[in-house]
Amino acid sequence: MMNIPNEMIMDDAQWQQLIREIADHFDNLTIMRGFQYYKQKRVGPLTFTEQRGIHAMVQGTEEYEVLLSMQSLPTSYCPCPVHSPCKHMIAVLMSYAESTGRPVHAIVNAHSSTALKQSVKPTSAISSVRSDSEAHVQELEIPDNSYSQIKEQAMDLAQLPIPEWHKLFRNCLNRLGTGTASTSYIQAATDELYAIKPKLSSGMDQIFDLHVHMYLMRFCIPGRNPNTNSPVYLSYPAQLAVDALQRNIEKELNRPLDLSNLDDKQYAEHWKRLEETVTYLRKQMLSETSSIMAFTSIYRDLWLNWLVPLLQRQDELEAELTALREIEHKLSDDSVSTKTTTGSVLNVNPSSSGTETSTPNRRPPTLPLPLVLAQGWIYFHLKRDSEAWQILTSGSSAYGIPPEHVLHYLHVLVEQLDWNRLGHWLAELGPLLANRRNDPLHDYMQLWDTVIQELPETEDTMWNTLVSMLPHSRPAYEDALHRRSQWRRWIDFQLSTGAEPLEFRVAILQPIEKDAPELLLPFYHQAVERYIGHKNRDGYKAAVKLLKRLAKLYKKLKQEERWEQFITALAVRNSRLRALQEELRKGKLIS
């Protein structure tokens, strides 16, 4: 837990006052968006000011420097385009609440907890749980009170297509009546669905478990409006339910799919259910954005852990790639058709007496991020790496692919012990992580260390990649130089960037002072001149502090005479700067 100043630790009355202020100044949508940023760990370390302020960097479309005023919340500042209380401020407030042991959900529910009374009409579980993939499937003609008929229909589950499974799920949940997305409702719904499950083979049992959790996840995550392209945000109870479902799905997909002891007919039925599952996931994930990519991750893990290990040939992968490309072409055609209808691609030929001619818009449309990732994974499994890198790079330039999706490719190669391929992927995917906070880069550099340990000749590739990623890779580049004791390159880099020696921890500079103290001389000298050039008291104090370090270095190098010549010349050259002369005397550098 971080060290928090005593004056920043609120008592219960102050906490309740903060919740009221949040309800007064932030609307519900902003709070939900801020909660997603908090959950995605976009908030950097918190620092505190003497005026009861909280300072933090928040990664949004770019990195924003947020300064919260706990004395007057409306005067807080964030440089984002909103110019009013924003999601970045809420995300910082939630990180602050977590660090002080206060419940984050109190901020999420600020409006409901401060309202006198709200009469909310409950949402029908049946209408809410329907997904787009089920909209065109005819309802089972089973009365709500005919639970025995539902169970009887479920006896043939293994032979029924996946859309029929979901119809059964919907009819089964009629008995629960109304419900909202929360862990308690999801638990009750899970119990209802497992009550109708017949005896199944081990593999079909796993597929059933997966679809129960996916069906309930679709209930918790509202569909995105296709006309607005806006991100989806979850309430706090819904987020908790989704987190639990994701853990269950991840656990299930990490177990190998058991298709042993099946005859040809049974094997074909299992494989048909898997193909239908892929079709279902394709449709579900295409409505997702980078804020919530639950079904995209399931699609990825389904292929990685269940399907690819069972494939005897690559025909199924090629077929899936064809299906994804057909979606891409359809989206492209729809985009051109829409633009033609609205007139955005109509050109007027000046020489044709004003006659309008329709010209196709040749600029390719931006693909949905899940489609980019899906194609990337299929290319990955086909080992068509250059094509995978190409589509991922184009997707990153359009969206900025979330780092966990980039790193997943690399971790799979580690598990496969494919070091040569991992080296190539590290070099190609590094730039996709360049504009991210340090956590992904730390993971990325650990993977480089692993590769270099196995293939030492790849180290030059690592350096070239890090240099190409500058300035965003600066922390990783500096750390790599430091860990490998490449002191001259480390110092040259600091000199070229005008780094401040006083900003480095003692532990960073100590090993250089021990192994190569002479390299620190130009680093310190350059900074001293820069500090004096500020021509203010703070600059002079910083210069004197650094000059004391220089005196020790010259003594360690047994160059005391050279030091005396330097400090004397410095004092004479700046004799008109009385404040500097005073600081030099206070530091006992001159008499």
Side-chain angles (χ1 to χ4, degrees):
M1 189 172 180
M2 68 175 67
N3 293 324
I4 301 175
N6 290 333
E7 63 271 16
M8 295 300 297
I9 299 177
M10 294 179 290
D11 57 29
D12 291 345
Q14 291 172 319
W15 171 248
Q16 292 302 323
Q17 176 60 30
L18 176 63
I19 297 301
R20 286 192 291 271
E21 290 185 12
I22 290 171
D24 288 342
H25 300 293
F26 296 86
D27 59 46
N28 258 326
L29 181 58
T30 299
I31 293 174
M32 289 301 107
R33 288 173 173 171
F35 178 63
Q36 291 300 320
Y37 271 36
Y38 160 77
K39 286 287 294 181
Q40 293 166 4
K41 301 186 184 303
R42 292 173 177 249
V43 181
L46 306 182
T47 57
F48 303 93
T49 68
E50 295 180 357
Q51 292 76 33
R52 295 193 71 235
I54 303 173
H55 175 270
M57 304 300 292
V58 180
Q59 183 67 52
T61 51
E62 57 185 78
E63 199 165 43
Y64 296 113
E65 185 175 3
V66 177
L67 182 60
L68 290 179
S69 172
M70 301 304 287
Q71 292 179 327
S72 177
L73 203 57
T75 64
S76 300
Y77 173 74
C78 175
C80 74
V82 174
H83 298 304
S84 62
C86 64
K87 59 188 175 186
H88 309 104
M89 296 180 187
I90 284 291
V92 174
L93 280 167
M94 290 178 176
S95 292
Y96 167 65
E98 179 188 21
S99 66
T100 57
R102 294 288 181 175
V104 172
H105 72 265
I107 296 177
V108 176
N109 298 321
H111 283 272
S112 59
S113 63
T114 55
L116 292 176
K117 281 186 180 180
Q118 287 187 343
S119 176
V120 179
K121 183 178 180 180
T123 304
S124 167
I126 301 152
S127 60
S128 297
V129 82
R130 288 181 183 169
S131 66
D132 293 339
S133 65
E134 299 165 338
H136 303 294
V137 181
Q138 185 178 357
E139 293 285 350
L140 287 175
E141 295 182 0
I142 301 175
D144 291 346
N145 59 357
S146 291
Y147 185 64
S148 61
Q149 293 184 39
I150 295 175
K151 292 198 70 172
E152 183 179 351
Q153 185 78 18
M155 294 302 293
D156 297 325
L157 201 69
Q159 291 78 42
L160 292 174
I162 293 301
E164 297 290 330
W165 288 26
H166 287 219
K167 288 194 295 181
L168 274 171
F169 294 169
R170 185 165 64 251
N171 281 287
C172 179
L173 294 181
N174 281 347
R175 301 205 317 162
L176 288 182
T178 58
T180 56
S182 65
T183 51
S184 58
Y185 176 80
I186 293 304
Q187 184 58 59
T190 302
D191 293 342
E192 287 287 324
L193 295 178
Y194 275 95
I196 68 168
K197 184 180 78 169
K199 183 173 178 58
L200 300 169
S201 68
S202 296
M204 198 65 76
D205 215 37
Q206 289 175 264
I207 298 172
F208 179 86
D209 290 345
L210 174 63
H211 275 278
V212 165
H213 293 130
M214 288 196 300
Y215 184 81
L216 295 175
M217 184 175 288
R218 181 75 280 169
F219 169 68
C220 293
I221 302 175
R224 178 170 58 88
N225 186 336
N227 298 321
T228 64
N229 226 14
S230 301
V232 172
Y233 298 97
L234 302 182
S235 66
Y236 185 72
Q239 184 68 61
L240 292 179
V242 168
D243 289 345
L245 289 167
Q246 285 179 313
R247 287 192 295 269
N248 289 333
I249 291 173
E250 183 178 354
K251 182 179 178 181
E252 188 60 57
L253 288 175
N254 281 333
R255 290 174 50 210
L257 184 63
D258 184 4
L259 298 186
S260 59
N261 302 319
L262 300 175
D263 59 34
D264 290 346
K265 181 180 179 182
Q266 291 172 324
Y267 190 91
E269 286 176 348
H270 285 65
W271 195 256
K272 184 64 175 175
R273 300 295 85 78
L274 288 171
E275 290 176 337
E276 292 163 353
T277 300
V278 171
T279 301
Y280 171 78
L281 280 170
R282 260 192 244 120
K283 188 159 190 178
Q284 298 305 315
M285 70 181 187
L286 284 177
S287 67
E288 296 187 305
T289 64
S290 58
S291 62
I292 301 177
M293 301 186 71
F295 292 97
T296 304
S297 297
I298 299 170
Y299 174 92
R300 174 195 70 200
D301 292 342
L302 181 76
W303 278 100
L304 180 66
N305 298 331
W306 280 11
L307 298 178
V308 171
L310 294 172
L311 297 179
Q312 301 298 320
R313 303 186 310 274
Q314 292 188 333
D315 295 357
E316 288 84 356
L317 286 169
E318 295 286 0
E320 180 63 14
L321 188 58
T322 299
L324 294 171
R325 284 172 170 169
E326 287 176 355
I327 295 173
E328 177 183 345
H329 293 153
K330 184 178 185 303
L331 291 173
S332 178
D333 293 342
D334 290 347
S335 175
V336 171
S337 175
T338 301
K339 291 177 181 178
T340 304
T341 301
T342 59
S344 62
V345 296
L346 291 178
N347 292 334
V348 178
N349 187 342
S351 62
S352 60
S353 304
T355 303
E356 291 184 344
T357 59
S358 177
T359 303
N361 188 342
R362 297 184 181 274
R363 184 178 180 181
T366 301
L367 298 182
L369 180 55
L371 186 58
V372 169
L373 292 172
Q375 292 190 55
W377 274 107
I378 301 302
Y379 281 127
F380 175 87
H381 292 305
L382 288 167
K383 296 190 176 180
R384 292 161 60 175
D385 290 351
S386 60
E387 291 166 283
W389 300 333
Q390 183 178 1
I391 193 165
L392 290 172
T393 301
S394 64
S396 178
S397 62
Y399 305 99
I401 296 177
E404 61 271 18
H405 287 273
V406 176
L407 292 169
H408 205 283
Y409 290 93
L410 308 177
H411 286 294
V412 169
L413 292 171
V414 172
E415 293 173 3
Q416 296 175 351
L417 306 180
D418 195 342
W419 309 119
N420 187 56
R421 195 176 176 206
L422 176 58
H424 292 303
W425 275 80
L426 282 165
E428 293 293 336
L429 295 194
L432 274 61
L433 296 168
N435 198 21
R436 296 290 176 176
R437 289 169 51 199
N438 292 343
D439 289 346
L441 283 178
H442 177 71
D443 195 355
Y444 175 76
M445 291 308 300
Q446 286 183 324
L447 293 170
W448 265 121
D449 290 341
T450 302
V451 172
I452 292 170
Q453 186 175 354
E454 300 292 335
L455 302 174
E457 65 272 17
T458 60
E459 184 168 351
D460 286 342
T461 304
M462 180 198 72
W463 292 121
N464 293 335
T465 304
L466 288 175
V467 170
S468 72
M469 293 162 59
L470 288 171
H472 302 295
S473 64
R474 177 170 181 164
Y477 182 58
E478 289 180 331
D479 183 63
L481 290 171
H482 199 276
R483 285 188 293 109
R484 289 166 171 78
S485 300
Q486 297 201 19
W487 307 132
R488 182 172 294 280
R489 288 179 69 178
W490 191 91
I491 289 292
D492 287 346
F493 181 72
Q494 306 309 331
L495 288 169
S496 67
T497 57
E500 302 291 348
L502 295 178
E503 292 183 357
F504 290 101
R505 303 191 313 273
V506 174
I508 297 294
L509 298 175
Q510 267 183 345
I512 308 177
E513 186 175 333
K514 178 183 177 182
D515 296 343
E518 69 281 358
L519 295 179
L520 287 171
L521 293 177
F523 188 32
Y524 288 177
H525 275 292
Q526 184 187 77
V528 165
E529 295 296 338
R530 188 163 59 247
Y531 293 149
I532 293 175
H534 292 165
K535 293 187 178 180
N536 58 42
R537 184 71 69 169
D538 289 339
Y540 300 150
K541 289 181 178 179
V544 168
K545 189 174 182 179
L546 208 49
L547 285 167
K548 288 181 179 181
R549 292 190 189 180
L550 271 170
K552 292 179 180 178
L553 282 179
Y554 277 108
K555 184 176 181 180
K556 184 173 184 176
L557 293 168
K558 298 181 180 180
Q559 297 182 17
E560 289 92 339
E561 183 177 349
R562 185 180 171 190
W563 161 253
E564 291 297 336
Q565 292 173 350
F566 165 73
I567 193 64
T568 300
L570 180 87
V572 171
R573 188 170 68 251
N574 296 286
S575 58
R576 294 185 179 183
L577 302 177
R578 294 184 180 180
L580 173 61
Q581 299 291 322
E582 290 176 8
E583 294 299 329
L584 290 172
R585 292 190 186 92
K586 286 180 184 177
K588 298 182 180 179
L589 294 172
I590 62 173
S591 56

